[in-house]
Amino acid sequence: MRTPHVVVVMGVAGTGKTTIGPLLAARLGVPYAEGDDFHPEANIAKMSAGIPLQDTDRWPWLDAIGHWAAGRAGLGGVVSSSALKRSYRDRLRAVAPGIVFVHLTGDRRLIEDRMSHRRGHFMPTALLDSQFATLQPLEPDEAGVAVEVSGSPEEIADRAVRALDALPDTLQ
């Protein structure tokens, strides 16, 4: 990327946001923030119990991520957030207008397999269906790119950098 933007690494659970985010941040030379760290305890308790979040649960979380991103304006940064709906991304952009999204995408079976092998995460594979049902991919007027998650984390991060570099200046 030509200028330091804040990049939101988005996608359903299990796409690798927490793995790819720090790798992408390192390649861009900016700090990384883990989006899950912005969740209130009540949200984590719900998800741990297998209860999908409602929009009212998400607003304070999205606002906190947006404020972090706004604080990094002109400096750059990478933060993870599922950002599954357009309205969630709009909420983030309302607080941090210059953000750019990297939507990690992949085959449901691959993602479920990855989720089933991770340890110590609060998001159960049982919520994957609700994540896919909620997902609204990036629309053409949204600044961002879709990046497929097959391959190694390093390959995915490199793919993301190339995709971001290919964005027209008007979308960066």
Side-chain angles (χ1 to χ4, degrees), residues 27-146:
R27 281 160 173 75
L28 298 175
V30 297
Y32 172 74
E34 172 55 50
D36 287 341
D37 293 344
F38 294 91
H39 271 298
E41 285 298 319
N43 286 6
I44 292 173
K46 272 187 163 182
M47 290 182 286
S48 296
I51 302 167
L53 298 179
Q54 302 300 311
D55 287 354
T56 54
D57 299 316
R58 288 185 178 93
W59 299 142
W61 172 64
L62 291 166
D63 291 343
I65 291 171
H67 287 295
W68 182 88
R72 299 294 313 160
L75 303 171
V78 174
V79 62
S80 59
S81 169
S82 53
L84 298 176
K85 287 184 180 179
R86 170 73 188 243
S87 62
Y88 304 163
R89 298 186 298 271
D90 288 345
R91 183 124 182 172
L92 290 169
R93 278 190 293 268
V95 180
I99 59 177
V100 177
F101 293 90
V102 170
H103 179 188
L104 299 179
T105 65
D107 176 75
R108 189 195 184 290
R109 282 179 284 185
L110 171 66
I111 294 167
E112 184 175 22
D113 182 61
R114 288 183 179 176
M115 282 183 77
S116 69
H117 287 96
R118 65 185 185 181
R119 302 287 174 246
H121 195 278
F122 59 82
M123 179 68 87
T125 57
L127 289 181
L128 190 55
D129 286 336
S130 72
Q131 293 256 304
F132 273 106
T134 302
L135 177 63
Q136 296 172 343
L138 289 173
E139 295 179 24
D141 67 324
E142 293 185 90
V145 296

